[in-house]
Amino acid sequence: MSRHVFRDIRGTLQPFWVTLRNLFRKPVTVQYPEQKQQLPERYRARLILTRDPDGGERCVACHLCSAACPVDCISMQATEAADGRRYAAWFRINFTRCIFCGLCTEACPTKAIQVTADFELAGRDPLKLVYEKVDLLVDHCGNDNSYNFYHQTGIGVTAPRGENPQETKPMDVKDLMP
Amino acid sequence: MADTLFTVVLILAKLALIFGVVLFMAAYLVLAERKILGRMQLRYGPNRVGPFGLMQPLADVIKLLTKEDFLPARADKWLFLVAPGITAVTALLVFAVVPFGPTIEVFGRTIPAAVVDLNVGVLYFLGVSSMAVYGVVLGGWASCSKYSLLGSVRGLSQMVSYELSLGLSLVPVIMMARSFSLHDIVMAQASVPFLLLNPVACFVFLICILAESNRIPFDLPEAENELVGGFHTEYSGMRFGLFFVGEYINLVVLGSLMTVFFLGGWHGPWLPPVVWFLIKVLMVCGLFIWIRACLPRLRYDQLMNLGWKVLLPVSLLNILVTGAVLLGLGL
Amino acid sequence: MKEIITTDALLDAQQLGDFVRHAGEIEHPRELIVDVLRAIQTRYGWVPDEGVELTASILGLTAIEVEEIATFYDKIFRRPVGRVTMHLCDSICCWSRGGEEIAAHLKKILGIEFGQTTDDGLFTLLPSCCLGCCGIAPALMIDQQFYGPLTVEMVDELIATLRRERSV
Amino acid sequence: MVTLTIDNQTVTVPAGTTVLEAAQKLGIVVPHLCYHKELGAVGSCRMCAVMIHKGTLTGLKMSCLIAVEEGMVVTTTDERSMALREQVGEWLMLNHPHDCPVCDEGGECQLQEMTIAVGHGRRRYTGKKHTYPNQDLGPFIAQEMNRCIHCYRCARTYKDYCGGRDFGVMGSRNRVTFGRFADGMLQSDFSGNLIDFCPTGVFTDRTFRFTSRFWDLQEADSVCSHCGVGCAVIPGGRLHQLQRVRSGTNAAVNGSFLCDRGRFGFDYGRHPERPRRARRDGQEVAVDVALEALMSDARALIDAEGPEAVLLLGSERASLESNWLLQRLAKELGCRVPVLSPHARRHQAAQAVAFDLSHQLASLADVRTADVAVVFGVDPLAEAPLLALALRQIVRQGGRVVVCDPRPVELPFAFEHQPLSPLALHELLGGGDMDGKHLRDLLRQAKQPVLVAGADLLGTAGLRHVHSLAQRIATDDRACPIYPVLAGANSFGAALLSLPEQDDLMTRLEGDHVRMMICLETDPLVEGPDGKPLGERLARLEKLVVFDYLPTAVAARADTFIPTCPPVEASGTFINSEGRLRRFERVLAPGASLAHKEDGAHPPRAFFLTQPDSEPLPAPRLLQRLLGGETSLAQIQAEMVMDRPRLAALPQLKAGEEGERVAATVARALPEEKLPEQPAGTLQLVVSPARYGSDLLSRYARQLTPRLTTACVYLHPEDAERHGVQEGDRVDLDTRFGRFTLPLALSETLARGCALVENSAALPEPIPGSGISFCRIGRGGANG
């Protein structure tokens, strides 16, 4: 015990010196609304719905983001377009609940839902933070401008059946070839 | 008749003055604490309300007043409502005996610069300040919440642990001043403050009032990160505000007592006595804030150990030594 | 506009009567499916959808029950073919004895790939797994008649003969 | 029993069990795709490989094909079998489009599960994927052939088990395709089972297309209420909307199968005109206000006019609890006991089943395992579709099925049809002529004979004849149980609760004693045979109170209407035809649907403390409020058991389980029916329920519209010739239900001397099960 007495006394007194010294230093605080901070590149904040390189909505309303969401802030309804494309009739994210964990973006098989660095989501009316599809949908591909889900799966939506890369022409059972 | 009336008016006036000054000080101590802590942690602290955040206390009061006054479903209603008041009122009551300046002559009367100059002021202080823990205990118990109850139990045993040393640390002061009157104690320090004459008693007293004020490193009854606020977990709005303001009034009061007992009260060169008094009080308060910025919270058993195994023997020994010295000096 | 195919174009009255009668006599009319389809193929050249439906109605089956058989066998044609359908064996014996050269040569002189029909509608070239004629490998089957062992010259000669005989 | 070791655990199973099933019993998951417990094993997917260390055959084997042996030692997690399974999983996924995000099967896909179970996670094959064209298989089933893994389960389900003949396997090699000869609606009445049985997303529910994910659905075990079979179903819904029904499993009743009527006909509860608010004299009122008013009205009338003044009418659609509480209400009010069905004859026949036949009831599982079934007076596909499926299994196992019925019965298997007119059928059962003798021999030689009796056509007398026939056939070592076919989901239950003194509806309404009538979840105008006279009588009532969840004709005429909940929105109990208590649990709370599939029509942003349109309450709850004091369903059931000891199993009943049979009891005295004399120049009228749109629920299920048929009258060609009418003519049919002008259709397999009409939405007046009656037929328009 005696070995530590001086160390302990020093340990008790040292903070007084540190805090006293800090008292006369310049604070590191960024005065937020007047000064803005440079955010890290991969900052996770407000979610968006991106589009395919060809302009179509990427979201196929597969419900995987809402399943992955730990706070249940995403809800949607899938529907079918005339060409068989599955898309969201409505898509809602409740940003009053969202904790910006980014699990939805990891779950998204079509890279539709992506995060942005826009964190300024405070407001007095909670309903204004309930975003509908029209508020979420953007006009760009986000951070991947090459991926197109419908080109990877042969269900014949953006291209006729069997016309996508990595697909053969549809089988014809009546074909002459054995 | 006129005499009595005059006394009453005088007391009321002093009460009003002290009320005003103490509450004002408590309010701005909160701000000062937040600013100082902020700067010590390389932050600004509140700076949005008014110039340099000076209107922050007002904003806090408005916020607390307009918040919902929440009563837990199974709380003991009356005790729950009364408890915060006990804390705030007892803290204020102590101030009744604190002399903040020398006696003054008004209309040919000698008026003590305290609400009353009790000849048993020390006992009064010890008695009333012990009452403050009732606020903590009753508030925590009446909330009917686990956290609150744990907080109040801690508060109670904490009081038992340090109250003894607190009283004993004052015995040398009384012995040296030969009076229980705070006025006399200050007068006894006209030349040399007791801090220098008996630093051990002063140190014990400082530790005890830290505990008394429920502040870091002895804020076990609150312990936000273990007990979620402890005894005041269930309080909201102005009732929480009363607990809060009580704590800071306590700070001012204890600072004043520290000044009175050990720092020589209003005595000092050049400046008027009241200013000296204020400066000393604020310095003590500043020390409290500084300590808060520097020390971690003690563990519960450490507090008990300190109270019973260190402070108590030390203060007893100190009494013995002081008595011996006084006897030896033949004073 | 889809051409309407009459029953008469698929089977003659005699065959039709025989099949209907025979189907009534046997316990499992299913066993006649291949016979009826082959009869249709012989008369019409290949089996159109109407042929499948006709077979089904003769045998008291549903169209899909006939279609299951019709699409299973590669010697029953569910697509139009040329007048001469050549099945070139592509199994191991024929391959090891030069089947690939024969195939390349046939493709070259006919100007078609496997599965295609010449523009004049005469030849259809199809691969076939083992024709069971390893003794005459590489082998070719035309109208249930086998040719082999083939050489490039034989092929030229055969095609020339067929062109002469089967041209309309 | 055989004991073997699987993965160091020993298990004892009956001989003949496969290793896969034994492993399942231990809770060990052996991945499999082509095996299904209803369809058995074919060993084509090669996924269920396990290592057999000790046994006749050792090495890597397909666990679905190997029968257990005593002392067998099997491991499922050894390196070789795991490696093989992973490779097989990878092969199966070579051509899979990986389009799970847009596939409705996603989340409840066996292929997904099994791919993960075998540990295949990363696609290594870089070659091109095969694609296939799709077919339009009609409004119920969507096809996406690219997802196919060629396990043949669809063909085994549709063709082999269900006997559908318009679906098959085409092509060979890597072209194998499953589908129809040409686009078009699948014709089988069991086509929906493709959805449940396809282990991947080739066949998905088109009515449920892109609606919800499996994990978002609120599901509960329920009972189908379209007919008396009482199949286990699992309805699922989201956003306050019932969105689909899939088949539950009940080994004693439906196995894992469901007919299309039950599967796709669930949307009656979300009919746009479904009444959801209480109404009194044309004004919307709060439910409690309406209940209070109705109670005081009833009390006042009974005080003034005696116990006859108020008539309570229960139903075969309402749960056991509802009907029983209705009887309690009668006691409370001091009026006469309720009539529990608007269809007197049907109700009596059901009583004959519930009392006389109660010792000898067969379950559908008994039918499936029988070797001879003789069906009297049932058209299974119309009256009890799952019965047809059960009968098919007899034929598949080499047994025989004989159907004695006037209708041109079609069944998905080969059977012997004896087209007997209703009178001839009664005669056969009563006296027993040559045909009867032949049948008796067949039944006597059978190892496990079973009789099927249609309550609608046979009536009480016919059922009693079938009963005595069964008793004559049965010997000490083999029983001859009877499977009765009742019409309503709870016909048996209503009959069981019925009291001998209750009388029938029209008798009670004779005279002018009845001033007020309370109908519980029934429309006596179309569910009973006396529509027209009853309608006139109802108009003379002072008060007509209707509790229902359908926009029925009688609900429109009610002075006081109180909304109730369909079975998916309530919990309760039905007793199915075979006397089996079946519990159903609430799936959804009632309320306005929030589901919108139109662009931008998102759910409301405003927040409500109570769900709009959630006023309807389950009928038992409403009746309890009338009785004063709500208790739990369990409490009601406990009281019911005290009252009716036959229901002893009621409190232990759990939804999703097989269900318990009610206790047998002694026969009840029922009025004897006399066979009427046939007037000269008439035909016997046969009224059959249409396959779709006959039961009231399917009539309000708009999804079934594509399956509805047009009304026509069927005659045997000989009878048509005799009456000088031809196929397609519009003929006049003069019946006890009124005069109808309908197109004529001819049927060779219809019994001679009969005219057949189908009760359906298009022709709701003739009611099946109304006894033998006669009709005259004439050329349409001849009389102007």
Side-chain angles (χ1 to χ4, degrees):
Chain A
M1 188 215 153
S2 58
R3 275 187 299 135
H4 296 310
V5 166
F6 293 105
R7 193 196 69 180
D8 291 355
I9 291 176
R10 216 187 77 198
T12 310
L13 294 181
Q14 203 173 21
F16 286 90
W17 162 242
V18 173
T19 47
L20 190 67
R21 198 181 52 193
N22 278 354
L23 198 57
F24 303 103
R25 283 186 174 169
K26 189 175 156 44
V28 294
T29 312
V30 177
Q31 292 294 320
Y32 162 60
E34 296 88 27
Q35 303 167 16
K36 305 273 183 191
Q37 187 163 16
Q38 188 64 41
L39 291 172
E41 205 174 303
R42 301 179 65 175
Y43 193 83
R44 298 191 307 249
R46 183 170 62 85
L47 298 160
I48 50 167
L49 289 176
T50 60
R51 285 179 186 275
D52 273 337
D54 56 15
E57 286 172 25
R58 264 185 178 155
C59 176
V60 296
C62 69
H63 287 261
L64 281 180
C65 51
S66 70
C69 182
V71 292
D72 283 353
C73 71
I74 307 178
S75 54
M76 75 197 78
Q77 176 62 57
T79 192
E80 190 174 13
D83 63 353
R85 192 186 180 101
R86 184 179 162 130
Y87 71 101
W90 54 267
F91 192 104
R92 182 181 279 180
I93 300 183
N94 185 345
F95 280 113
T96 60
R97 276 198 198 176
C98 179
I99 55 168
F100 307 111
C101 63
L103 287 179
C104 50
T105 61
E106 287 183 35
C108 183
T110 63
K111 301 196 177 178
I113 194 163
Q114 296 187 3
V115 285
T116 63
D118 174 17
F119 62 89
E120 294 171 305
L121 283 164
R124 293 193 176 279
D125 181 4
L127 269 181
K128 282 194 180 143
L129 288 174
V130 178
Y131 278 42
E132 301 291 349
K133 190 168 122 182
V134 64
D135 310 314
L136 294 165
L137 199 62
V138 294
D139 263 336
H140 54 81
C141 302
N143 60 20
D144 188 322
N145 50 17
S146 62
Y147 183 73
N148 188 334
F149 170 78
Y150 282 109
H151 286 169
Q152 309 296 322
T153 54
I155 62 162
V157 166
T158 47
R161 285 179 86 79
E163 300 284 319
N164 286 318
Q166 295 301 309
E167 280 176 9
T168 59
K169 288 259 178 336
M171 299 294 159
D172 177 8
V173 283
K174 300 173 183 173
D175 196 37
L176 292 172
M177 293 287 280
Chain B
M1 185 62 208
D3 200 40
T4 323
L5 190 70
F6 180 76
T7 314
V8 169
V9 169
L10 198 68
I11 287 178
L12 285 177
K14 280 193 280 191
L15 265 179
L17 180 74
I18 288 171
F19 248 72
V21 171
V22 171
L23 283 176
F24 179 83
M25 278 180 74
Y28 274 88
L29 260 182
V30 177
L31 179 65
E33 173 159 38
R34 290 174 66 185
K35 294 286 273 189
I36 292 170
L37 281 182
R39 293 305 295 253
M40 283 177 169
Q41 293 161 357
L42 299 180
R43 300 182 283 114
Y44 284 108
N47 63 352
R48 291 280 157 181
V49 190
F52 306 105
L54 283 175
M55 301 306 281
Q56 187 66 36
L58 190 67
D60 285 347
V61 167
I62 292 171
K63 184 192 81 169
L64 287 172
L65 280 175
T66 51
K67 272 190 146 181
E68 185 188 356
D69 188 13
F70 178 81
L71 185 73
R74 297 200 183 174
D76 185 322
K77 193 179 169 195
W78 292 110
L79 282 183
F80 187 82
L81 299 183
V82 161
I86 295 177
T87 310
V89 168
T90 48
L92 274 172
L93 281 180
V94 173
F95 224 95
V97 294
V98 174
F100 45 82
T103 49
I104 40 172
E105 297 269 336
V106 182
F107 307 124
R109 287 161 182 268
T110 313
I111 299 163
V115 181
V116 281
D117 181 17
L118 275 184
N119 55 3
V120 286
V122 177
L123 294 182
Y124 172 83
F125 151 67
L126 288 175
V128 173
S129 68
S130 306
M131 298 281 287
V133 84
Y134 276 98
V136 173
V137 172
L138 294 179
W141 182 81
S143 301
C144 195
S145 146
K146 290 186 190 68
Y147 291 131
S148 304
L149 189 63
L150 279 173
S152 57
V153 167
R154 282 184 180 191
L156 197 60
S157 28
Q158 187 172 328
M159 187 204 70
V160 172
S161 306
Y162 64 71
E163 197 76 4
L164 214 54
S165 313
L166 179 73
L168 291 174
S169 72
L170 288 180
V171 172
V173 174
I174 295 158
M175 285 157 75
M176 289 190 288
R178 292 161 190 268
S179 169
F180 278 100
S181 159
L182 298 189
H183 189 261
D184 294 350
I185 290 173
V186 176
M187 292 310 286
Q189 302 176 62
S191 45
V192 188
F194 287 162
L195 165 68
L196 302 176
L197 291 178
N198 200 336
V200 176
C202 177
F203 191 65
V204 173
F205 184 77
L206 178 68
I207 293 176
C208 289
I209 58 172
L210 269 175
E212 166 104 21
S213 65
N214 287 338
R215 287 177 59 85
I216 281 174
F218 301 113
D219 62 338
L220 290 154
E222 297 183 23
E224 292 85 352
N225 35 11
E226 324 159 18
L227 295 184
V228 206
F231 64 93
H232 61 62
T233 304
E234 305 295 338
Y235 282 90
S236 65
M238 206 51 220
R239 278 180 216 292
F240 167 74
L242 275 178
F243 269 129
F244 196 69
V245 85
E247 186 186 324
Y248 284 87
I249 294 171
N250 228 350
L251 198 61
V252 178
V253 170
L254 296 171
S256 311
L257 289 166
M258 180 79 189
T259 311
V260 166
F261 288 135
F262 293 101
L263 301 181
W266 61 83
H267 292 296
W270 309 306
L271 294 169
V274 177
V275 177
W276 265 117
F277 187 82
L278 264 177
I279 289 172
K280 288 176 182 174
V281 170
L282 290 176
M283 275 171 62
V284 177
C285 293
L287 179 67
F288 273 48
I289 292 167
W290 195 10
I291 289 172
R292 179 173 173 181
C294 299
L295 295 183
R297 182 183 308 127
L298 286 189
R299 218 168 53 216
Y300 192 58
D301 59 316
Q302 289 169 333
L303 171 79
M304 304 292 272
N305 269 335
L306 187 70
W308 293 109
K309 294 188 187 166
V310 180
L311 293 184
L312 187 61
V314 165
S315 46
L316 279 172
L317 201 67
N318 191 29
I319 293 170
L320 215 64
V321 172
T322 311
V325 169
L326 285 176
L327 206 64
L329 290 176
L331 289 167
Chain C
M1 196 60 199
K2 208 177 168 225
E3 189 190 351
I4 294 158
I5 301 166
T6 58
T7 307
D8 188 50
L10 299 168
L11 285 178
D12 64 39
Q14 164 89 39
Q15 281 173 312
L16 187 65
D18 284 353
F19 280 130
V20 169
R21 187 167 38 75
H22 196 173
E25 287 165 359
I26 56 177
E27 196 181 346
H28 300 295
R30 243 166 223 275
E31 63 197 40
L32 275 182
I33 293 176
V34 172
D35 300 80
V36 180
L37 289 173
R38 284 185 59 94
I40 291 171
Q41 185 164 311
T42 311
R43 185 171 169 89
Y44 191 72
W46 57 288
V47 182
D49 286 354
E50 289 81 356
V52 173
E53 282 161 357
L54 175 67
T55 312
S57 67
I58 291 172
L59 304 177
L61 300 170
T62 58
I64 183 71
E65 285 167 338
V66 177
E67 178 80 339
E68 287 181 332
I69 308 290
T71 53
F72 181 81
Y73 290 112
D74 64 335
K75 305 291 186 294
I76 289 171
F77 308 131
R78 289 287 281 114
R79 286 275 180 266
V81 288
R83 290 189 293 283
V84 179
T85 325
M86 301 195 285
H87 292 277
L88 182 69
C89 182
D90 62 359
S91 290
I92 181 102
C93 289
C94 295
W95 169 79
S96 64
R97 301 213 5 144
E100 278 182 338
E101 286 99 81
I102 302 296
H105 184 65
L106 265 171
K107 284 183 196 167
K108 198 181 82 189
I109 57 172
L110 296 175
I112 52 173
E113 289 294 313
F114 276 131
Q116 292 179 342
T117 303
T118 51
D119 290 338
D120 57 0
L122 187 56
F123 294 107
T124 299
L125 181 62
L126 291 172
S128 177
C129 61
C130 192
L131 290 171
C133 305
C134 304
I136 54 165
L140 179 72
M141 181 176 86
I142 297 167
D143 293 348
Q144 305 198 28
Q145 209 172 348
F146 298 104
Y147 300 88
L150 293 175
T151 57
V152 171
E153 296 75 39
M154 268 180 76
V155 168
D156 286 339
E157 196 180 316
L158 184 64
I159 297 295
T161 322
L162 287 165
R163 278 222 167 97
R164 201 167 52 241
E165 288 175 1
R166 306 288 279 267
S167 287
V168 185
Chain D
M1 299 298 270
V2 179
T3 304
L4 70 160
T5 309
I6 305 176
D7 286 351
N8 295 324
Q9 301 176 61
T10 45
V11 62
T12 307
V13 290
T17 314
T18 61
V19 174
L20 179 69
E21 287 157 348
Q24 278 180 336
K25 200 182 166 197
L26 278 174
I28 297 169
V29 177
V30 179
H32 59 272
L33 285 164
C34 66
Y35 164 83
H36 188 285
K37 72 174 185 297
E38 301 288 349
L39 303 175
V42 289
S44 72
C45 73
R46 315 310 285 173
M47 204 154 214
C48 61
V50 295
M51 182 63 84
I52 296 180
H53 299 275
K54 226 159 108 189
T56 323
L57 293 161
T58 54
L60 262 186
K61 295 287 173 237
M62 295 306 128
S63 60
C64 69
L65 294 175
I66 303 289
V68 292
E69 291 167 30
E70 188 65 43
M72 201 178 225
V73 177
V74 179
T75 55
T76 69
T77 52
D78 61 286
E79 242 172 60
R80 274 185 67 196
S81 43
M82 300 253 289
L84 178 74
R85 290 205 296 260
E86 189 184 343
Q87 281 160 14
V88 170
E90 189 166 2
W91 292 328
L92 285 174
M93 294 301 286
L94 280 191
N95 291 308
H96 193 81
H98 296 81
D99 61 344
C100 309
V102 296
C103 174
D104 270 328
E105 195 88 354
E108 51 181 341
C109 174
Q110 205 180 346
L111 183 63
Q112 270 181 344
E113 283 162 21
M114 294 309 162
T115 307
I116 288 163
V118 300
H120 168 59
R122 181 160 284 275
R123 184 176 163 81
R124 292 187 294 169
Y125 176 66
T126 52
K128 295 195 164 193
K129 296 176 181 180
H130 293 165
T131 66
Y132 299 83
N134 289 336
Q135 282 182 326
D136 178 5
L137 296 180
F140 296 125
I141 292 173
Q143 190 192 32
E144 176 50 66
M145 261 309 290
N146 285 357
R147 298 173 187 146
C148 184
I149 53 159
H150 304 98
C151 69
Y152 283 71
R153 253 205 216 172
C154 53
R156 288 159 64 209
T157 307
Y158 194 93
K159 293 177 67 175
D160 298 357
Y161 198 98
C162 299
R165 291 186 67 192
D166 58 332
F167 178 92
V169 191
M170 291 170 281
S172 59
R173 208 174 57 113
N174 61 11
R175 278 200 305 253
V176 170
T177 314
F178 300 84
R180 281 170 55 85
F181 179 65
D183 284 358
M185 181 161 70
L186 286 165
Q187 296 299 310
S188 168
D189 287 318
F190 306 98
S191 64
N193 291 305
L194 286 177
I195 299 162
D196 282 348
F197 279 75
C198 175
T200 170
V202 179
F203 299 102
T204 50
D205 189 339
R206 180 157 270 174
T207 63
F208 180 59
R209 188 164 170 81
F210 296 172
T211 299
S212 284
R213 283 288 176 205
F214 170 65
W215 59 74
D216 285 333
L217 288 175
Q218 287 170 272
E219 289 192 327
D221 287 300
S222 190
V223 178
C224 180
S225 43
H226 279 278
C227 72
V229 174
C231 299
V233 290
I234 304 177
R238 184 172 76 108
L239 297 168
H240 289 271
Q241 187 194 44
L242 184 63
Q243 295 178 327
R244 70 151 184 203
V245 166
R246 67 187 169 106
S247 169
T249 300
N250 187 334
V253 183
N254 59 322
S256 302
F257 294 88
L258 196 60
C259 70
D260 288 359
R261 175 147 54 118
R263 185 184 299 270
F264 301 115
F266 62 81
D267 61 333
Y268 54 85
R270 57 181 216 213
H271 194 280
E273 283 156 35
R274 173 176 163 190
R276 291 175 188 269
R277 298 235 163 76
R279 215 170 55 224
R280 191 171 155 78
D281 302 324
Q283 300 285 314
E284 274 184 11
V285 291
V287 170
D288 282 327
V289 173
L291 289 177
E292 227 162 80
L294 124 73
M295 207 60 182
S296 58
D297 286 353
R299 285 228 160 90
L301 274 170
I302 290 168
D303 285 348
E305 321 233 345
E308 283 279 357
V310 175
L311 171 58
L312 306 182
L313 180 62
S315 118
E316 299 172 332
R317 235 186 321 130
S319 67
L320 202 60
E321 289 84 357
S322 303
N323 279 324
W324 184 76
L325 283 168
L326 196 69
Q327 289 182 330
R328 287 274 309 272
L329 180 65
K331 214 176 274 177
E332 169 80 18
L333 284 170
C335 64
R336 272 186 67 186
V337 294
V339 178
L340 290 186
S341 167
H343 194 318
R345 192 174 172 277
R346 222 177 219 182
H347 194 42
Q348 267 175 17
Q351 286 174 45
V353 171
F355 291 90
D356 299 28
L357 268 59
S358 58
H359 292 276
Q360 257 181 312
L361 294 174
S363 72
L364 217 51
D366 297 332
V367 177
R368 277 196 287 273
T369 52
D371 64 341
V372 168
V374 181
V375 180
F376 294 108
V378 187
D379 181 354
L381 285 178
E383 295 180 67
L386 258 289
L387 172 65
L389 217 47
L391 290 171
R392 175 172 166 82
Q393 307 319 309
I394 299 179
V395 177
R396 280 184 77 201
Q397 290 146 19
R400 282 186 65 184
V401 173
V402 181
V403 179
C404 305
D405 190 273
R407 288 166 278 188
V409 175
E410 283 171 16
L411 289 171
F413 53 88
F415 66 105
E416 185 186 326
H417 182 206
Q418 301 200 0
L420 297 170
S421 74
L423 279 174
L425 191 60
H426 276 92
E427 217 167 283
L428 166 76
L429 285 168
D433 54 357
M434 288 297 287
D435 276 329
K437 201 156 181 251
H438 151 71
L439 287 176
R440 212 167 293 157
D441 289 344
L442 183 69
L443 287 165
R444 286 234 166 89
Q445 285 153 14
K447 287 191 198 72
Q448 280 189 58
V450 66
L451 299 179
V452 180
D456 269 3
L457 205 71
L458 297 181
T460 317
L463 285 168
R464 284 191 171 148
H465 288 315
V466 173
H467 186 216
S468 55
L469 175 67
Q471 279 172 333
R472 288 199 299 277
I473 302 287
T475 58
D476 289 342
D477 52 343
R478 81 169 177 23
C480 179
I482 304 166
Y483 185 85
V485 176
L486 302 177
N490 196 28
S491 288
F492 195 111
L496 186 144
L497 288 180
S498 67
L499 298 163
E501 65 267 31
Q502 77 177 28
D503 233 335
D504 69 79
L505 184 60
M506 288 314 280
T507 319
R508 292 276 289 272
L509 283 170
E510 266 170 26
D512 277 336
H513 302 296
V514 176
R515 310 293 292 276
M516 176 178 186
M517 186 162 137
I518 299 175
C519 303
L520 177 70
E521 293 183 351
T522 182
D523 183 356
L525 295 173
V526 293
E527 286 180 308
D530 315 295
K532 205 171 269 178
L534 184 68
E536 287 158 13
R537 182 63 187 85
L538 290 187
R540 298 210 306 278
L541 286 174
E542 269 174 39
K543 301 269 178 210
L544 177 61
V545 182
V546 174
F547 292 75
D548 212 338
Y549 48 84
L550 294 175
T552 56
V554 78
R557 295 172 61 158
D559 307 303
T560 303
F561 176 82
I562 292 157
T564 64
C565 296
V568 288
E569 292 172 8
S571 298
T573 315
F574 286 149
I575 307 183
N576 72 0
S577 296
E578 58 192 64
R580 191 176 292 279
L581 289 156
R582 301 281 286 117
R583 171 70 42 82
F584 53 92
E585 288 295 347
R586 190 169 93 157
V587 181
L588 293 167
S593 162
L594 298 179
H596 304 287
K597 277 179 109 174
E598 308 85 55
D599 270 344
H602 47 69
R605 293 172 66 90
F607 173 76
F608 307 102
L609 275 176
T610 50
Q611 177 63 25
D613 274 351
S614 59
E615 286 87 353
L617 288 169
R621 176 130 300 183
L622 291 166
L623 290 166
Q624 278 193 318
R625 284 198 185 172
L626 288 177
L627 287 163
E630 287 178 51
T631 53
S632 66
L633 210 57
Q635 187 69 37
I636 306 176
Q637 285 156 354
E639 286 171 36
M640 287 171 75
V641 175
M642 300 292 284
D643 191 26
R644 306 291 165 94
R646 286 188 74 189
L647 302 174
L650 200 55
Q652 286 83 43
L653 215 55
K654 285 207 177 62
E657 290 181 356
E658 268 189 18
E660 292 288 328
R661 302 286 274 272
V662 295
T665 187
V666 291
R668 167 182 275 191
L670 289 170
E672 282 298 331
E673 283 180 4
K674 269 215 178 114
L675 287 185
E677 287 290 323
Q678 181 164 11
T682 59
L683 291 164
Q684 293 179 41
L685 178 68
V686 181
V687 185
S688 172
R691 286 189 201 172
Y692 298 89
S694 178
D695 65 309
L696 219 52
L697 301 182
S698 72
R699 211 172 280 179
Y700 289 102
R702 293 178 306 158
Q703 282 187 175
L704 291 178
T705 314
R707 285 277 172 92
L708 295 183
T709 46
T710 53
C712 55
V713 57
Y714 295 89
L715 284 184
H716 192 273
E718 284 179 18
D719 291 321
E721 202 181 331
R722 185 147 12 102
H723 286 86
V725 284
Q726 281 177 350
E727 177 127 37
D729 283 355
R730 289 189 72 77
V731 295
D732 281 339
L733 196 67
D734 225 344
T735 72
R736 59 168 281 203
F737 301 105
R739 194 185 175 89
F740 311 108
T741 305
L742 297 167
L744 179 73
L746 298 183
S747 171
E748 294 272 1
T749 47
L750 180 70
R752 289 172 177 77
C754 292
L756 169 69
V757 287
E758 285 184 334
N759 165 272
S760 67
L763 185 66
E765 290 91 352
I767 308 292
S770 322
I772 293 168
S773 66
F774 305 98
C775 62
R776 287 175 196 280
I777 199 157
R779 193 184 285 279
N783 304 338

